[in-house]
Amino acid sequence: MDGKEFVGLYDVHYPRVYRYLLWRLRERAAAEKVAAEVFAIALRTFQEGSEPRQVGSWLVEVADHLASRVLRRMQVEDLLDEVGLIAEREPGAVPDKMGPAVERDPEELVIGRLENATIRACMDALSPEERTALLLRIVAGVSASEVAELLRTTEDVVRRLQLRALRALRTLWKEAEANAGRGSTGA
């Protein structure tokens, strides 16, 4: 694969790899850094003459592996931070989980953050299998056959899992909205 072909591959696959990593890591800077690492690995792999059969699903699989590693490292750092074993960070070193809020209405920003938090809470309430299927299919845009290959199952199982996850997500979302409505009327 030459440089031009790799740039084309990057242009096609970067958006879905980045979206997937953003959902997994929940920090823009971390997602960007890991996405860059994914494509560095891909470039090395292609330069060695090896090319996976389904490049898109392979890239997401690499991203998932690297994201898991980053999340484990973040959990350890958080734990160490809680007990005061991590040195103080520089002011610029604390990542902004929501990204910059440039030229946005403050009310719109608050509502967006609340909805984002609700979506994440609902996604977190799904089983790991349901969450993975939805993230791969919807956020990363991976086909049902590619998800089946990644999860080592059949396309029918993936489709049923996705349907069950969407139904559960819809129920969780309605419950969250109902609870938010009750909370605002009781104040």
Side-chain angles (χ1 to χ4, degrees), residues 66-185:
L66 294 176
S68 295
R69 200 171 70 195
V70 167
L71 288 170
R72 281 191 301 273
R73 187 173 54 240
M74 290 168 77
Q75 287 172 340
V76 169
E77 287 176 3
D78 287 346
L79 187 62
L80 292 174
D81 198 20
E82 282 179 27
V83 295
L85 294 177
I86 289 185
E88 291 206 20
R89 296 179 176 145
E90 296 177 25
V94 179
D96 176 9
K97 294 183 185 234
M98 299 307 293
V102 178
E103 297 181 24
R104 290 186 62 188
D105 177 38
E107 184 178 345
E108 178 186 317
L109 183 61
V110 169
I111 291 169
R113 286 185 181 190
L114 289 174
E115 287 177 349
N116 195 10
T118 303
I119 291 168
R120 289 190 186 284
C122 291
M123 287 292 289
D124 288 345
L126 296 174
S127 74
E129 296 83 14
E130 292 170 338
R131 186 172 45 252
T132 300
L134 278 186
L135 288 175
L136 290 172
R137 289 282 291 134
I138 295 170
V139 177
V142 177
S143 72
S145 63
E146 291 172 315
V147 173
E149 186 177 313
L150 288 170
L151 299 180
R152 292 168 179 73
T153 189
T154 65
E155 283 185 56
D156 287 337
V157 169
V158 169
R159 287 191 179 99
R160 285 194 303 270
L161 187 60
Q162 180 183 350
L163 181 62
R164 191 171 67 231
L166 287 171
R167 286 179 179 156
L169 191 60
R170 185 177 305 117
T171 300
L172 291 165
W173 180 260
K174 287 178 182 178
E175 289 172 4
E177 283 185 324
N179 289 337
R182 277 195 294 262
S184 64
T185 58

Side-chain angles (χ1 to χ4, degrees), residues 16-37:
R16 76 181 192 173
V17 168
Y18 173 74
R19 277 192 314 269
Y20 178 74
L21 288 168
L22 189 57
W23 267 96
R24 286 285 317 272
L25 301 174
R26 301 178 183 189
E27 292 182 10
R28 291 175 193 263
E32 289 170 355
K33 183 177 178 183
V34 174
E37 194 174 344

